[in-house]
Amino acid sequence: MVGVAGRSKGCNTCRKRRVKCDEAKPQCYRCIKAGFECLGYERATQWRHTSMASLPTSQWQTSEYMEPIQPVSMTFTPTRELSLVAFETDICTAHMFRNFVWKSYGTPWLDQAAGGKLGNLSLDAVTALAQLNFGLSNRTRDLQLRGSAQYGKCLRVLAGELGKDGAAVHDSRWLVVPILVLMMVSAIQADRTAAVFHLKAIGKVLVLCGPEAFQHQPLRNAFEAARATLLIASLFARRRTFLEDPRWQEIPYAGDPFAKPQQSQLLDIFVVIPGLLEEVGRINNMTYHPRDELIDPSIVLDEELDRRADLCGRIAPQLEKLYRWRWNWQHRYGHHVVLDKPGFQSHSPEPESEGSQSNPSGLGRLKFDRYVYADDIALYNAALMWLLTLIWKLEPFHATTIIDGCARHAATSSSSSPQSPKSPILPSDNISFEPLGPPGASFSIREPAMEICRVFDWQCRHHEQHAVSGDQTCLYLFPLGMARSVLDADPDCREWIDDMLDSNPVTAGYGRSGGSVVGFKSYVTRRALDPDAEDSEKIT
């Protein structure tokens, strides 16, 4: 350290760069922010001879045994076998797995595909992704070209596989993995045309094989990744998805219902939302034209109000189901989240004294025992924001009554989930939801948006846990994107979100270009943000 006698306590990278280290563990933030690999704090042991006594002289060192040695000129040239070209694929693949978002999205099928365990097409697709990613990150034109060529080869092979008849249904299920990898390639290339092609291919394979084909790992996790990807596309298109069928929610886990993750249970609720958005669009198209002289405007209005009430009646059971999920989660995992101690933590990548944005919520920092628990709460609040927003849009004058009724029913009714079939959750349990918000405590979508940010505040300081946890996360940045579309008008919240995202190169700049995640902001009304507002006009 500067100003302290003795050796520096900084990391090995900062010592070589001769800069001050913030000494954060296990990796210092200064290296992460500057794009350097933090080499840690372990020092190599150096052995030194400190004795003042002269070394004993051996008889073999006397003049009679020693003969003059003629110097021999030697030239060291590394053989071709030691060229780095032989390790190029390994280097590119290792660099790809440094992206913890991809690694958790592809747990465990991406790692197995990279090891050649899921077929040649999956291995070639991973090679294309690794080469393109490394080439773009390091501006290596040659690797970009080779990655693009490999990508084109995979597309030709995939097109041939998809063109086969239905006789190869059993083998087609393995195509989900290379298609997901190629979807990631199209994402880094910003190729929307290719992305649409891959989305259709994923849907075709799932429908062709049926849910029975994805009951075992690693295909079950690949199915969850595919389901999340198709969900985002359906939300964006506002069209119902075939994944809404209960068969796709139950059959993949029929052999082991206890293995169904909490996030998968949340996705069961999420896949219903695209169909609700499609119905909302139909209601919005019920407009009266003055030229339609034979149609009474009051009849059109009454029909629209009836359809709004009917659709809201179908949203309410989903909200109640979501609240019951929250009660179950708190009963099983609530003790794994507490308030973090104030002040700078030694494991935090950035001390507050160096400009980290304070928490505008004023509720204190959260602390989770495992990364997966933080992912659960973030995705829960994202689903909650969607359902609350739709209720406020359809029934603005009855929304508080509907929301309160769902919360009361969820709290008073016994809940029997696959995770705890004999553990009903009743109010008599006196479960405390601190430091998180209890279900039904707020009618506004601003509170769940703030809770997502509080969760991400912990996540962005523990990315290293996310990389090694082994838990799958299919929608990592999606909840924060929704929260940003709600809180973006608040300068303090916007700066807070930007600082959290910029704390890691993988997430830096996400969502800064503006816009709305899957069009969520177009459904947000003023009363959804502020239930006491007098009008329900949507935000512009």
Side-chain angles (χ1 to χ4, degrees):
M1 294 178 61
V2 178
V4 180
R7 298 180 61 187
S8 170
K9 296 181 180 179
C11 72
N12 294 324
T13 303
C14 290
R15 292 182 66 203
K16 290 182 179 180
R17 296 174 59 206
R18 297 182 180 276
V19 297
K20 181 180 179 181
C21 179
D22 57 29
E23 300 182 19
K25 304 293 177 59
Q27 294 180 327
C28 80
Y29 176 73
R30 184 151 197 163
C31 290
I32 296 176
K33 194 170 184 179
F36 290 93
E37 179 183 3
C38 183
L39 299 178
Y41 299 85
E42 184 177 354
R43 304 285 191 256
T45 303
Q46 297 182 1
W47 299 95
R48 297 180 180 178
H49 182 70
T50 58
S51 174
M52 301 298 294
S54 59
L55 293 174
T57 303
S58 170
Q59 62 171 343
W60 303 105
Q61 294 178 302
T62 59
S63 58
E64 60 180 308
Y65 289 100
M66 298 183 66
E67 298 179 357
I69 301 176
Q70 299 296 329
V72 179
S73 176
M74 300 182 66
T75 303
F76 293 95
T77 303
T79 62
R80 291 185 178 183
E81 288 76 13
L82 295 180
S83 172
L84 287 179
V85 174
F87 306 99
E88 180 181 279
T89 301
D90 294 334
I91 294 173
C92 293
T93 303
H95 182 269
M96 176 191 69
F97 279 113
R98 292 181 62 185
N99 186 321
F100 58 87
V101 177
W102 287 354
K103 185 175 178 63
S104 63
Y105 173 81
T107 302
W109 49 268
L110 185 60
D111 186 65
Q112 294 186 19
K117 299 179 181 179
L118 302 182
N120 293 332
L121 180 57
S122 296
L123 177 60
D124 292 342
V126 171
T127 302
L129 174 63
Q131 290 178 336
L132 271 170
N133 177 61
F134 190 92
L136 291 171
S137 300
N138 298 277
R139 299 180 181 180
T140 307
R141 182 66 176 171
D142 180 60
L143 275 176
Q144 293 182 43
L145 293 176
R146 278 188 283 162
S148 297
Q150 183 77 354
Y151 176 58
K153 171 187 173 183
C154 292
L155 289 180
R156 291 189 294 271
V157 175
L158 177 62
E161 292 292 331
L162 293 175
K164 294 181 179 179
D165 56 24
V169 171
H170 183 75
D171 295 333
S172 297
R173 58 180 179 164
W174 295 102
L175 293 177
V176 171
V177 172
I179 297 174
L180 288 172
V181 177
L182 295 177
M183 171 73 73
M184 297 162 71
V185 175
S186 65
I188 64 175
Q189 290 185 318
D191 189 345
R192 294 187 177 183
T193 302
V196 171
F197 169 79
H198 298 319
L199 283 170
K200 292 180 178 179
I202 292 175
K204 178 179 178 180
V205 171
L206 292 186
V207 173
L208 178 66
C209 298
E212 297 82 3
F214 305 97
Q215 293 183 327
H216 304 286
Q217 296 288 24
L219 287 180
R220 190 163 64 192
N221 273 28
F223 161 73
E224 290 291 3
R227 183 164 72 143
T229 303
L230 292 175
L231 168 65
I232 297 299
S234 298
L235 288 172
F236 185 81
R238 304 175 187 181
R239 291 291 183 269
R240 177 174 278 103
T241 172
F242 65 91
L243 296 170
E244 185 179 348
D245 188 336
R247 295 174 62 251
W248 289 99
Q249 304 171 20
E250 301 168 358
I251 293 180
Y253 293 92
D256 187 9
F258 294 95
K260 188 168 186 177
Q262 296 294 316
Q263 293 179 58
S264 180
Q265 298 178 31
L266 290 172
L267 286 178
D268 292 346
I269 300 174
F270 249 116
V271 293
V272 179
I273 295 178
L276 300 175
L277 299 182
E278 183 176 346
E279 294 296 327
V280 171
R282 292 176 181 173
I283 293 175
N284 292 337
N285 291 332
M286 295 179 60
T287 55
Y288 167 74
H289 299 283
R291 291 175 297 180
D292 299 333
E293 299 178 356
L294 300 178
I295 300 179
D296 188 349
S298 61
I299 296 177
V300 176
L301 180 60
D302 291 342
E303 183 180 356
E304 179 180 348
L305 292 176
D306 291 341
R307 294 188 63 175
R308 283 174 174 266
D310 178 70
L311 182 56
C312 202
R314 289 154 52 190
I315 296 175
Q318 298 299 322
L319 180 60
E320 183 178 335
K321 181 179 179 181
L322 182 65
Y323 282 153
R324 286 200 303 269
W325 177 92
R326 184 66 181 85
W327 276 95
N328 287 328
W329 191 94
Q330 191 68 24
H331 180 71
R332 293 174 57 83
Y333 308 110
H335 60 284
H336 292 291
V337 53
V338 295
L339 276 178
D340 203 353
K341 295 181 180 180
F344 171 61
Q345 304 294 317
S346 61
H347 58 267
S348 177
E350 183 179 11
E352 294 176 355
S353 60
E354 291 189 11
S356 63
Q357 179 68 10
S358 60
N359 183 344
S361 69
L363 299 175
R365 279 181 162 178
L366 300 174
K367 180 180 179 181
F368 295 86
D369 288 348
R370 284 181 58 189
Y371 215 95
V372 67
Y373 301 141
D375 292 332
D376 293 343
I377 295 301
L379 192 59
Y380 158 78
N381 280 285
L384 180 61
M385 290 173 65
W386 266 112
L387 297 177
L388 294 182
T389 297
L390 292 178
I391 291 176
W392 277 110
K393 185 172 181 64
L394 294 170
E395 292 281 11
F397 300 107
H398 304 94
T400 56
T401 303
I402 297 172
I403 296 170
D404 184 66
C406 292
R408 291 179 180 273
H409 291 158
T412 57
S413 63
S414 61
S415 175
S416 178
S417 70
Q419 297 291 328
S420 53
K422 297 182 180 180
S423 302
I425 306 302
L426 301 175
S428 59
D429 290 339
N430 295 322
I431 297 177
S432 173
F433 286 84
E434 292 293 338
L436 302 173
S442 174
F443 301 120
S444 170
I445 64 173
R446 182 179 175 84
E447 279 69 23
M450 291 296 291
E451 191 161 284
I452 289 174
C453 293
R454 293 177 67 202
V455 171
F456 193 80
D457 176 66
W458 181 87
Q459 290 177 311
C460 71
R461 291 180 286 120
H462 300 82
H463 285 312
E464 69 282 356
Q465 293 187 22
H466 198 248
V468 299
S469 65
D471 298 310
Q472 186 179 32
T473 303
C474 298
L475 298 173
Y476 177 66
L477 292 174
F478 174 72
L480 187 69
M482 290 184 57
R484 185 183 191 125
S485 63
V486 171
L487 304 174
D488 205 41
D490 188 330
D492 291 336
C493 291
R494 183 171 61 248
E495 184 178 358
W496 181 31
I497 294 173
D498 287 341
D499 283 351
M500 291 190 293
L501 289 168
D502 291 345
S503 66
N504 191 282
V506 175
T507 59
Y510 173 75
R512 190 164 292 181
S513 59
S516 173
V517 176
V518 295
F520 172 72
K521 195 172 184 178
S522 63
Y523 293 92
V524 177
T525 61
R526 296 190 184 278
R527 295 195 67 179
L529 285 172
D530 181 9
D532 297 326
E534 296 182 357
D535 63 275
S536 59
E537 294 297 323
K538 66 183 179 182
I539 300 202
T540 58

